[in-house]
Amino acid sequence: MKSNDSLMILALAAALAVAPFFIYPVFLMKVLCFALFACAFNLLIGYVGLLSFGHAMFFGFAAYVSGYTVKTWGFPTEIGILAGMLVSAALGLVAGLIAIRRQGIYFAMVTLALAQMVFFFCVQAKFTGGEDGIQSIPRRALFGVIDIRNDFTLYYVVLAIFLAGFLVIYRTIHSPFGQVLKAIRENEPRAISLGYKVDNYKLLAFVLSAALSGLAGATKAIVFQLATLTDVTWQMSGEVVLMTLVGGMGTVLGPFVGAAIIIAMQNYLAQFGEWVLVIQGVIFVTTVMLFRRGVVGEIGAYLAKARGTAKE
Amino acid sequence: MNTTEDSIVETRGLTKEFRGFRAVNDVNLKVRRGSIHALIGPNGAGKTTCFNLITKFLQPTSGAIFFKGRDITRTAPADVARLGLVRSFQISATFPNLNLVENVRIALQRPLGNSFHFWRPESTLSSLDGRALELLDAVGLSEYAGLTAVELPYGRKRALEIATTLALDPELLLLDEPMAGMAREDISRVSALIRKISQNRTILMVEHNMSVVADLCDQITVLARGEVLAEGSYSVVSRNPAVIEAYMGTGQGSAESAGQSSGNANGGTHG
């Protein structure tokens, strides 16, 4: 791990560890769940160059799976979350096998179409509770000992899950596999000409991203004790694109910052009702037109420039 | 397999049609093992198409391709690379935002068998750094090792591409217009480099610059309108009236002067 990055991650972990003393923990947990979702999404767009427009299917469906298994089948919390994650990974494998051979906009369209199929399945299927969703999912003690009915305690569990997911992504990016992913992003024909079967690499990245999106969705269902259709809609797929772009795609911290900004806006601007969407739209357009690199990307570029001039 | 012993690549009746247009028509090509073989011809002659067919980036409409006596007509491009047939690209193919060592390491990494290991740290690749630096040194790039590829001038990018290709130690190297868009001093450096790396391997190249072809290549195949027009050494081919006519359209002048002029104006000359 590069010392710069590890310092940054330690600082982030420390800040998050003290955050609930100052900020409402439920809000923070929401931020963490979406941040993990955005980080998982960023693994694809930022490091493989694949724009998935159907990631809500992994996020939302995992929420249903963990909600249902915990509430109806009486699974322990940790097994329920794990089940959500595994089902999303499997779903990712199927969706990936179908979508991965398509390029660019066609890839986005195929993922969107598949996500819409999952959405309609969720509308029709009995176990999702249709419009009502799955409500009052119990917060059963974690590993049978840690009482998570208290938001404050649950926050640290969610933080641990977030950090674990975040580190998995960080390690993936900085692994031999991650090197190949970057090569594919940078110049796919060249990677092929060097003997790499790029589809297999893209597929593994897609499955990893789906699994971690699932982890985020499953955790969110436990936090809010609720799994609904909102999390499988195409709007949710769009929201994660928005978070990642605003924060800075292809940066380690960007998706986290983006998620925090968007969730904070939704929470603190809720009084403006539908206008939140307009504000989000304006921010999105401004980012795309003026700050292509996103918040973290722009700061990073500024620092690199400052360092460059300092050296001269 | 009745390929002659000394040819490493052979095409038989190779044909590629694009919506009724025959870009490559019944090409029978043999590349002798250990030679530097050039594929030349006027613009639109089908050189690059032919090249893309042999490297499997395009599927032929009909005909067959053999590599070391093995039929590779239906083999995937990543697989032919593994068999030892590696190509370069007309526009220097590097990984622009990776540094030079990382660029070369991508090629070295695959045989290690850990390319799917997303749980291992990057430092497991550092064992390859020494070899990567050796390869960069071989093409005269060791002093730039810390730069990212995008920061290199054009001629050096070509050298980096060659270093990356050499990392696979291919038996057959296919170079697509290695001198395209290069300044004079870069041309002589890359020429020397190609000669150096041709020691124990075969090279097939598409090239416009006739003085480079004359200087480097043992064997030349001239394509015109998708078909083989002439074959042989430079002195034989350049005196062939059909070749002179194909280049000049008149029968006046020589292939050499024609080649020079098209060499200066290449850039977007896809065959």
Side-chain angles (χ1 to χ4, degrees):
Chain A
M1 202 179 274
K2 286 176 200 149
S3 57
N4 239 349
D5 284 352
S6 45
L7 268 180
M8 208 168 59
I9 293 169
L10 275 177
L12 175 73
L16 286 172
V18 296
F21 293 98
F22 308 98
I23 307 170
Y24 183 46
V26 174
F27 166 75
L28 285 174
M29 286 190 277
K30 189 174 177 190
V31 168
L32 287 179
C33 290
F34 278 98
L36 180 55
F37 184 27
C39 286
F41 176 79
N42 184 43
L43 178 62
L44 275 188
I45 190 154
Y47 294 93
V48 203
L50 287 174
L51 170 61
S52 161
F53 207 79
H55 253 48
M57 66 178 143
F58 309 122
F59 186 70
F61 201 72
Y64 279 127
V65 171
S66 79
Y68 188 81
T69 53
V70 169
K71 187 182 175 188
T72 312
W73 290 355
F75 274 23
T77 305
E78 63 279 4
I79 304 293
I81 291 176
L82 199 64
M85 180 170 139
L86 290 177
V87 169
S88 278
L91 190 59
L93 182 64
V94 175
L97 280 170
I98 298 169
I100 222 79
R101 283 168 197 284
R102 304 281 167 266
Q103 306 279 339
I105 190 72
Y106 300 102
F107 176 81
M109 283 330 215
V110 171
T111 49
L112 173 61
L114 291 169
Q116 285 306 94
M117 284 166 61
V118 171
F119 173 76
F120 286 113
F121 173 76
C122 291
V123 171
Q124 296 296 329
K126 279 274 180 317
F127 84 98
T128 60
E131 296 287 331
D132 298 331
I134 303 174
Q135 297 180 4
S136 38
I137 298 161
R139 282 188 191 172
R140 230 167 260 127
L142 198 70
F143 304 116
V145 284
I146 307 170
D147 182 7
I148 55 173
R149 276 170 302 181
N150 177 327
D151 285 339
F152 204 78
T153 318
L154 181 58
Y155 172 80
Y156 287 98
V157 173
V158 174
L159 179 58
I161 291 173
F162 167 77
L163 286 175
F166 185 84
L167 287 175
V168 167
I169 292 167
Y170 185 89
R171 171 45 66 81
T172 302
I173 294 166
H174 297 91
S175 70
F177 174 67
Q179 272 310 99
V180 180
L181 289 186
K182 280 178 219 162
I184 293 171
R185 178 193 64 187
E186 301 266 300
N187 193 336
E188 187 169 336
R190 182 52 169 165
I192 296 171
S193 83
L194 292 176
Y196 287 102
K197 298 182 175 180
V198 295
D199 284 347
N200 297 347
Y201 291 86
K202 288 181 184 174
L203 184 62
L204 177 54
F206 194 81
V207 171
L208 282 172
S209 176
L212 290 163
S213 300
L215 177 62
T219 308
K220 180 174 175 271
I222 299 298
V223 171
F224 289 94
Q225 304 184 271
L226 182 69
T228 65
L229 285 171
T230 315
D231 291 348
V232 274
T233 54
W234 62 267
Q235 287 93 333
M236 184 58 71
S237 297
E239 210 155 274
V240 76
V241 178
L242 178 68
M243 288 170 182
T244 309
L245 287 186
V246 167
M249 72 180 202
T251 61
V252 174
L253 286 182
F256 174 83
V257 173
I261 292 173
I262 299 295
I263 298 297
M265 268 178 24
Q266 287 173 355
N267 264 43
Y268 294 111
L269 303 180
Q271 48 186 325
F272 297 110
E274 292 292 302
W275 282 98
V276 175
L277 292 175
V278 176
I279 298 168
Q280 266 183 24
V282 170
I283 289 187
F284 184 62
V285 171
T286 315
T287 307
V288 169
M289 307 218 21
L290 299 176
F291 312 105
R292 287 269 167 93
R293 300 189 188 96
V295 175
V296 172
E298 291 291 343
I299 293 173
Y302 176 78
L303 288 178
K305 210 168 137 198
R307 216 176 296 138
T309 28
K311 234 188 261 174
E312 278 165 20
Chain B
M1 281 329 122
N2 43 11
T3 12
T4 35
E5 265 307 298
D6 61 343
S7 78
I8 187 163
V9 155
E10 184 176 351
T11 71
R12 290 186 202 153
L14 194 63
T15 300
K16 178 69 183 176
E17 284 184 27
F18 295 106
R19 293 181 192 149
F21 167 69
R22 291 205 160 186
V24 171
N25 189 12
D26 192 26
V27 168
N28 296 296
L29 185 74
K30 276 187 187 171
V31 179
R32 210 172 61 237
R33 193 183 287 271
S35 66
I36 303 184
H37 193 127
L39 211 51
I40 66 169
N43 291 345
K47 304 179 297 285
T48 296
T49 308
C50 202
F51 195 87
N52 283 334
L53 288 170
I54 295 173
T55 52
K56 307 308 304 144
F57 275 66
L58 283 176
Q59 266 305 324
T61 312
S62 63
I65 305 164
F66 296 87
F67 177 60
K68 293 193 279 180
R70 174 177 172 166
D71 189 343
I72 57 161
T73 316
R74 300 284 154 209
T75 311
D79 287 320
V80 295
R82 292 168 188 219
L83 291 173
L85 184 162
V86 181
R87 69 168 292 173
S88 76
F89 293 80
Q90 211 169 83
I91 295 159
S92 278
T94 58
F95 302 113
N97 295 311
L98 301 184
N99 71 34
L100 268 53
V101 172
E102 287 174 322
N103 260 274
V104 178
R105 228 170 45 183
I106 293 288
L108 294 170
Q109 182 186 335
R110 190 176 43 77
L112 226 57
N114 66 1
S115 294
F116 281 108
H117 294 183
F118 61 85
W119 57 90
R120 278 183 206 276
E122 211 167 53
S123 55
T124 50
L125 295 175
S126 52
S127 63
L128 301 173
D129 287 355
R131 178 75 188 125
L133 282 167
E134 266 174 51
L135 285 158
L136 287 172
D137 195 41
V139 300
L141 284 179
S142 47
E143 54 186 304
Y144 305 101
L147 293 182
T148 56
V150 73
E151 295 173 292
L152 287 180
Y154 192 83
R156 307 270 183 191
K157 277 187 190 145
R158 180 65 71 186
L160 173 60
E161 187 184 1
I162 291 174
T164 310
T165 307
L166 286 180
L168 295 183
D169 197 19
E171 275 180 75
L172 174 64
L173 211 65
L174 291 103
L175 306 174
D176 191 1
E177 296 193 25
M179 308 303 173
M182 268 190 201
R184 201 171 293 271
E185 65 270 21
D186 284 333
I187 289 182
S188 56
R189 198 179 45 237
V190 174
S191 276
L193 183 56
I194 291 175
R195 192 189 302 282
K196 185 172 158 196
I197 64 177
S198 69
Q199 292 311 320
N200 34 29
R201 48 178 62 89
T202 314
I203 294 179
L204 173 63
M205 59 198 253
V206 169
E207 185 50 59
H208 273 292
N209 189 318
M210 283 301 152
S211 59
V212 169
V213 171
D215 184 40
L216 275 179
C217 302
D218 319 310
Q219 188 76 7
I220 294 164
T221 300
V222 186
L223 289 179
R225 298 201 188 96
E227 296 181 25
V228 176
L229 194 63
E231 222 163 1
S233 69
Y234 181 76
S235 54
V236 171
V237 163
S238 63
R239 267 184 261 127
N240 184 323
V243 174
I244 295 170
E245 194 181 325
Y247 267 96
M248 300 301 287
T250 60
Q252 298 293 310
S254 72
E256 171 138 7
S257 58
Q260 287 292 10
S261 63
S262 81
N264 295 336
N266 46 36
T269 49
H270 292 262

